[in-house]
Amino acid sequence: MRLLVALLVLLALVGCEEEMVEPEPGTLQAYIVSPLATDSVFDRDTVLFMGEATATDVGLLPEDSVWWTGETIGSVPGRMMRHIVRLGRVRFVFHAQYEDREDSVSVDLDVAESVGRVIWEAPIRGGNKITLGPGGVVYALESDGESSHRIIAIGPGGVANWHSETFKANYRGFVALGSDGTIYIPHAEADVDQEGGVLAFNSDGTRRWTFFTEHHGPPGSPTYRVEGSLAVAEDGSVYFVSTEADAPMYGLHPDGSLKWRVPIGAFEGDPRKTFQGSTVLVGDTLAVAIHTHDSIFAVDTRTGVVEWSASLPYSGYRDWMPAVSSDGTIYAARYRAAAAFTPSGEVIWRRELGYFVDSGMTIGRENLYMANCRGGYRILNMAGDPVAEVGDMDASFGRAVTLGANGVIYLTHGDSLYSYNEAGELRFATQIDAAAYFGVVLGEDGTVYSPTVTGVAAVRDTVGPATDAPWPTHMGGPQRRGRTHSN
């Protein structure tokens, strides 16, 4: 009997000991809710990171029990964290700790560049044509709303580096940058009967020299205006055409003195038939301009002698501009036709296009590109044969196509900047209130600079300029020198 009682007591004591044992802590688990490793994340994006941590005996852990760390941040408490991620592959770790329990989980992200994003915008009054210089400095002609203008230089970040003095200028012509950093601008007084010519500025915006066409024109010329853009040679010589009655082309020495003046004439005495276009260079020895109505002329830059002229099967306006390939072939397109000429003036081909072209050509390594004024853009091969047409043919695009690396295309349409890949597929469309006129320019880092209604916008991209294209944008290149991009 005593043995039975002893056994019962022992069993009771064992049972009491089992009831008094502490339970094992519940499993603690940390996990990331967002972003997942497969999410698309772009640089300069403010990313919301979300993580949670639970334990079976606690539930959702308190805020002060969890925190984030990463390669670019320290310890950030809480289940949520906002962070601007940097380019490349990055890792973020979510930690959880409760009493003596802890857990961690990480997310690895491939951060891509965000193409098509507006980086900055800078106001430029009346500046709908832009030129790009070294270091991403944008030059434009800014208007005061009346008749005065000034050159403005916009540095990286959209901040104005300097303004030049005010002057009367031709708003149709581009600022052109010489190889030595000299800045040139076509000059014209507001009143039709007043002087015009060329202004040259140093790289800091101070005046270098001024050339007035009125000092060299014949008596009785009704106007002395320079309407189009200038061609600037490697040595700093400048070539342009004037609206004087005898329709002259000018050549200037690098110091702004007159090199020669040649009246093109032969316009049957019609005073309306004066040059109002832009001048371009074929190598160092030939300056070419398209007449307002129906002719193209080439002048020897060394002597001022007219080497040749040819008729064009169409007429147009003052923004006519030839384009020049690496081999010296001269291309011209306007309205419903296009033509190609050898440097000696022989016709290579002429084509009726069947549609209106709204600008001169852009020349790539193997093809020619033109914006159609009714919308989209067209591609021809070097023989003038159609290759493709891209974009909304019922819309109104800008007057110039800009060619980037690997066949990427940029042009403005309505209030937006559009980019297409080589296959004609849309890469991005960015609303920037674009000024759809004379084409965007591309920085070495891929940044796209576009004129807008109120100034200039810088848009992020990674493509960069087409270094193998002889004429990738209006006036030959981002410096608007009127010669092939390789020169």
Side-chain angles (χ1 to χ4, degrees):
M1 184 69 179
R2 291 179 179 178
L3 181 59
L4 179 60
V5 170
L7 289 173
L8 290 174
V9 171
L10 180 61
L11 290 172
L13 290 173
V14 172
C16 290
E17 287 180 1
E18 288 181 353
E19 289 177 2
M20 295 174 61
V21 173
E22 291 288 334
E24 290 292 333
T27 302
L28 186 151
Q29 181 181 15
Y31 53 95
I32 292 175
V33 176
S34 176
L36 302 177
T38 55
D39 287 351
S40 297
V41 180
F42 299 98
D43 70 317
R44 294 182 179 266
D45 271 349
T46 301
V47 178
L48 175 62
F49 290 86
M50 298 180 63
E52 292 187 355
T54 59
T56 54
D57 59 332
V58 179
L60 190 65
L61 261 62
E63 287 278 347
D64 58 1
S65 301
V66 292
W67 70 95
W68 295 87
T69 61
E71 295 176 0
T72 58
I73 62 170
S75 178
V76 179
R79 285 190 289 270
M80 293 187 295
M81 184 267 294
R82 293 183 184 274
H83 186 66
I84 300 177
V85 294
R86 62 175 176 78
L87 185 66
R89 189 167 181 83
V90 295
R91 167 172 288 190
F92 290 91
V93 182
F94 181 59
H95 304 273
Q97 185 173 355
Y98 190 78
E99 296 178 343
D100 59 349
R101 291 170 282 172
E102 61 181 278
D103 191 20
S104 298
V105 62
S106 64
V107 58
D108 293 310
L109 299 175
D110 288 314
V111 184
E113 295 224 49
S114 49
V115 299
R117 177 195 298 275
V118 176
I119 305 170
W120 53 258
E121 295 182 82
I124 303 175
R125 189 172 184 180
N128 60 7
K129 293 180 290 295
I130 58 174
T131 299
L132 184 64
V137 177
V138 176
Y139 299 87
L141 193 63
E142 184 176 53
S143 170
D144 66 356
E146 300 296 333
S147 58
S148 295
H149 296 75
R150 61 182 182 175
I151 297 173
I152 181 172
I154 304 293
V159 178
N161 289 347
W162 52 258
H163 300 86
S164 73
E165 61 185 279
T166 58
F167 50 85
K168 308 295 184 182
N170 161 29
Y171 67 90
R172 298 184 182 94
F174 278 94
V175 174
L177 299 181
S179 300
D180 64 350
T182 303
I183 303 162
Y184 305 89
I185 188 70
H187 176 257
E189 287 291 339
D191 297 330
V192 118
D193 293 327
Q194 295 187 20
E195 70 271 13
V198 178
L199 302 179
F201 293 83
N202 297 307
S203 58
D204 62 357
T206 57
R207 182 84 67 95
R208 175 175 289 191
W209 52 256
T210 303
F211 178 88
F212 290 110
T213 59
E214 66 167 342
H215 298 159
H216 306 279
S221 290
T223 60
Y224 297 92
R225 297 173 66 86
V226 180
E227 292 282 350
S229 295
L230 315 167
V232 182
E234 181 67 28
D235 68 353
S237 298
V238 180
Y239 304 93
F240 61 95
V241 292
S242 168
T243 62
E244 296 161 79
D246 57 347
M249 179 182 285
Y250 283 85
L252 305 184
H253 292 292
D255 63 359
S257 61
L258 180 66
K259 188 176 183 180
W260 46 256
R261 177 188 187 278
V262 53
I264 301 300
F267 294 145
E268 300 176 358
D270 187 345
R272 297 171 299 172
K273 291 188 173 183
T274 57
F275 270 134
Q276 294 183 341
S278 299
T279 305
V280 302
L281 289 171
V282 181
D284 295 324
T285 61
L286 208 62
V288 178
I290 297 178
H291 187 266
T292 305
H293 286 257
D294 54 8
S295 301
I296 182 170
F297 289 83
V299 177
D300 190 316
T301 60
R302 298 160 295 187
T303 63
V305 173
V306 177
E307 288 294 309
W308 55 266
S309 64
S311 63
L312 297 172
Y314 47 91
S315 61
Y317 296 108
R318 53 182 150 262
D319 60 346
W320 271 20
M321 179 205 66
V324 183
S325 191
S326 299
D327 62 0
T329 301
I330 303 159
Y331 298 92
R334 187 62 183 178
Y335 280 12
R336 295 183 183 272
F341 301 89
T342 67
S344 59
E346 297 157 346
V347 176
I348 301 174
W349 52 259
R350 295 179 185 267
R351 295 286 185 273
E352 293 295 328
L353 300 175
Y355 51 85
F356 288 100
V357 174
D358 209 21
S359 179
M361 295 184 184
T362 294
I363 306 175
R365 187 166 53 88
E366 297 178 346
N367 291 312
L368 309 170
Y369 303 81
M370 294 172 289
N372 178 18
C373 70
R374 299 291 295 179
Y377 65 93
R378 313 288 174 131
I379 305 176
L380 307 179
N381 62 23
M382 295 301 187
D385 302 318
V387 173
E389 57 182 50
V390 179
D392 182 0
M393 295 300 130
D394 294 325
S396 177
F397 274 65
R399 295 182 184 175
V401 171
T402 295
L403 185 62
N406 303 317
V408 172
I409 293 293
Y410 302 88
L411 72 169
T412 51
H413 168 197
D415 62 356
S416 297
L417 167 69
Y418 284 74
S419 178
Y420 295 85
N421 64 20
E422 188 174 19
E425 300 165 333
L426 183 66
R427 298 179 62 242
F428 64 79
T430 302
Q431 185 174 352
I432 54 172
D433 292 327
Y437 292 111
F438 298 105
V440 305
V441 287
L442 306 178
E444 294 295 331
D445 63 352
T447 302
V448 185
Y449 301 92
S450 176
T452 68
V453 173
T454 57
V456 59
V459 177
R460 178 175 295 278
D461 202 356
T462 59
V463 173
T467 56
D468 60 347
W471 204 271
T473 191
H474 199 83
M475 288 304 291
Q479 298 81 26
R480 314 293 195 183
R481 294 169 181 163
R483 62 183 197 255
T484 56
H485 189 43
S486 58
N487 290 338

